[in-house]
Amino acid sequence: MTKLREECGIFGIFDTEEASVLTTLGLHSLQHRGQEGAGIVTYDGKKFYNIRKKGLVGDNFNNSEILSLLPGRNAIGHVRYSTTGESKSENLQPLFANLSVGGFACAHNGNLTNTHSLKKDLVSKGAIFQTSSDTELILQLVARSRQKKLINKLIDALNKIKGAYSLVILTNKKLIGVKDPFGIRPLVLGSLNGSYVLASETCALDIIGAKYVRDIENGEIISIEKNHIQSFKPFKKLNERPCIFERIYFASPDSIIDGKTVYTYRKKLGEQLAIENKIDADVVVPIPDSGVSAAIGFSQKSNISFELGIIRSHYVGRTFIEPTQNIRQLGVKLKHSVNRSCIKNKRVILIDDSIVRGTTANKIVKMVYEAGAKEVHLGITCPPIKYPDFYGIDTPKHKELMASNYTLEEMTKIVGASSLFFLSLKGTYIAMGYKKRNNSNPQFSDHCFTGDYPINVEEIQNFKNELFD
Ligand code: AMP
């Protein structure tokens, strides 16, 4: 069975009243980044408190006892994305350990790529791992560093790990934020009445009324203490390679990345798709929710009217959450229904952000035909996903990625559409505000389309899950 590891959301807040309640709100706004489970660690000046639960933030943390269960002015939290099969409670984060320098809680968004060799080495030296999460490696490495100061222990550990990581860390003195040298996963700094906040996305700042200060830079460590904030850049400076999928699919439409809302990028992706593909049709219909912003762009650019021809139930999580292909298919059916009035006897252009396995496209095209559409064209606002991800999204292996196994013609037949068209790579960069993909402008982590992996993935490809599950 395919193992999908996690895309996650992280949040931290320092020196404020009701830190656990604010963290609950922050995590709630990051819920789209992970629905398998959530956790919060707080520190009240004497003790650390830790609650980690499977399920949604609102179901587990939104209650009147949360302040007494999680007291203190400092807190970090994590929402975890589904790992198929292995959804063990011990893997829920933040992870916590009592180190020689005091308590150390850590929440991680991303995936390490050299876990196999590091873990093998540590186990051979007597380390005992309590979880199958790669994040535990960070705690083990910090614990074993011979440096005296916590920050130097952390730098020591980070120098050993490779991969994608945005971290929030809570100790008895500090809140620390870290972004890996390529800055693959996001992390922003905000402020609320003089207190500092760290979050995966700006939507988590908005929900608590915090102001956006700036993005944490690639390769930067931010250390927040009472009345004191420090920045460390201990790594060799590299060009930033942020994950392009944050803009295409993952991030919330209202979050701001690089000065623009994610909605703006998605709308542009839709516009660009319309520029590249002139289709004669009657209606443009998004596959909700992720296709909505792009479909608005497509409709406006093509002058074909926008209709909500597919209705999405808000009581079912993201498709990928279910662990088996059978259940995933059921999930898609539970999630979407057809609004016949917009579809019957129409030539329909469906818009979605991506095709991974093809499950969603397959189901929806069929549903739309069954509702009486004359033609069903399917437009995808990114290039074909031909290569797996190992940096925190972790899309399936080659053999399960539809575009990795079939030609465009074959894919069109399999999904049963009148036509299937993808946005070009160049068009994707144009929608992001760049003329084309080249080395002189910020290049994204776009390996899913290009196979150009910024960090070597050989080890994770060969030994994935061997030591961890
Ligand atoms: P699939 O149905 O397997 O082709 O997956 C594509 C659908 O899942 C699209 O509707 C996307 O919005 C959504 N999607 C794309 N990438 C991911 C991902 N990494 N995790 C969860 N859902 C995704």
Side-chain angles (χ1 to χ4, degrees), residues 3-6 36 52 80 83-93 95 108 110-112 115-116 119 123 128-138 140 394 460 463-469:
K3 307 262 177 193
L4 272 182
R5 293 186 82 85
E6 63 267 35
E36 179 190 316
R52 298 175 298 157
R80 180 177 163 88
T83 62
T84 60
E86 303 288 335
S87 49
K88 300 176 192 161
S89 307
E90 65 261 29
N91 285 342
L92 296 176
Q93 298 191 24
L95 296 185
H108 172 202
N111 247 7
L112 305 186
T115 34
H116 178 83
K119 190 165 183 183
V123 169
I128 297 167
F129 282 81
Q130 310 276 345
T131 75
S132 58
S133 150
D134 56 356
T135 311
E136 194 182 351
L137 263 173
I138 300 171
Q140 294 267 4
D394 217 11
I460 192 168
F463 297 106
K464 206 163 150 210
N465 298 322
E466 201 175 87
L467 281 164
F468 281 84
D469 292 319

Side-chain angles (χ1 to χ4, degrees), residues 20-21 42 49 51 63-72:
S20 54
V21 176
T42 60
Y49 301 80
I51 300 181
N63 59 57
S64 51
E65 283 111 65
I66 210 70
L67 263 182
S68 54
L69 294 172
L70 291 167

Side-chain angles (χ1 to χ4, degrees), residues 233-259:
K233 290 180 185 157
F235 313 112
K236 193 172 137 223
K237 184 76 190 153
L238 297 171
N239 287 333
E240 195 183 7
R241 299 285 300 270
C243 172
I244 200 161
F245 254 93
E246 291 286 342
R247 300 180 191 208
I248 294 171
Y249 170 76
F250 266 113
S252 182
D254 55 330
S255 280
I256 294 174
I257 303 182
D258 226 356

Side-chain angles (χ1 to χ4, degrees), residues 207-265:
I207 195 171
I208 59 165
K211 272 203 230 84
Y212 168 80
V213 176
R214 66 173 177 87
D215 277 35
I216 307 305
E217 286 177 34
N218 55 315
E220 184 179 14
I221 301 175
I222 281 278
S223 169
I224 297 160
E225 279 177 81
K226 222 170 165 61
N227 308 321
H228 191 54
I229 179 162
Q230 255 183 304
S231 162
F232 300 86
K233 290 180 185 157
F235 313 112
K236 193 172 137 223
K237 184 76 190 153
L238 297 171
N239 287 333
E240 195 183 7
R241 299 285 300 270
C243 172
I244 200 161
F245 254 93
E246 291 286 342
R247 300 180 191 208
I248 294 171
Y249 170 76
F250 266 113
S252 182
D254 55 330
S255 280
I256 294 174
I257 303 182
D258 226 356
K260 289 186 194 148
T261 58
V262 168
Y263 171 76
T264 317
Y265 294 116

